[in-house]
Amino acid sequence: MTTPEYDNDNIFAKILRGEMPSFKVYEDDHTYAFMDIMPRAPGHCLVIPKVPCRNLLDADTESLGHVIATAQKIARAGMKAFDADGITVQQFNEDAGGQIVFHYHVHVIPRHEGVKMGPPGVMGDMDEIKANGEKLAAEVL
Ligand code: AMP
């Protein structure tokens, strides 16, 4: 299968354009990091490039580098902010690969020893997500 075209109206494109709200954690010239509203664990954050691309398959290598550099910042902040024991990084590509939103994104999820991730697709408590976003943002160097 060839990779389908980027859709300018996907949710994350709208977030980048400020047409949809998000809990911002960090932003630089190339990337934007914000809280996942269906967190698999407290502090679950998403990192996206500002340039339009669907996923790993069509992203340019420079953007991949920018995104992983920001993911590292968020991961380090997550370790501190949530006194985490580890970090899970996830990234899905196309329907068959588990992707739901078609703007390239990396999940950065703080983890604790012996605690399983929650199920996907469950809406979180917005006040809690906002507070966790602020905690995380405060630790980003
Ligand atoms: P996936 O494409 O499989 O990586 O899944 C998309 C992720 O985006 C899921 O973890 C959703 O909870 C998350 N998500 C969907 N809509 C929003 C939104 N408006 N703001 C923040 N996260 C979102």
Side-chain angles (χ1 to χ4, degrees), residues 9 17 26 29 31 38 56 58-59 65-66 68 71 83 90 100 103 116:
D9 284 329
R17 291 197 295 266
Y26 171 82
D29 287 350
T31 63
M38 298 176 221
L56 181 70
D58 65 339
H66 292 310
I68 208 67
D83 195 23
Q90 290 184 319
I100 293 168
H103 181 107
K116 287 193 177 148

Side-chain angles (χ1 to χ4, degrees), residues 25 43 45 47 68-82 84 86-89 107-111 136 139-140:
V25 173
C45 184
V47 181
I68 208 67
T70 296
Q72 185 186 47
K73 278 186 201 288
I74 300 297
R76 287 174 170 165
M79 289 294 283
K80 285 197 197 150
F82 299 97
I87 300 287
T88 296
V89 172
H107 298 254
V108 181
I109 309 171
R111 304 296 304 280
L136 192 54
E139 296 294 349
V140 177

Side-chain angles (χ1 to χ4, degrees), residues 16-36:
L16 277 175
R17 291 197 295 266
E19 295 167 9
M20 288 265 298
S22 65
F23 297 108
K24 173 178 158 179
V25 173
Y26 171 82
E27 180 174 19
D28 60 24
D29 287 350
H30 304 288
T31 63
Y32 185 74
F34 58 105
M35 300 306 280
D36 196 305

Side-chain angles (χ1 to χ4, degrees), residues 11-12 34-38 46 92 98-101 105 107:
I11 301 168
F12 295 171
F34 58 105
M35 300 306 280
D36 196 305
I37 55 171
M38 298 176 221
L46 300 170
F92 305 102
Q99 186 173 14
I100 293 168
V101 178
H105 56 279
H107 298 254

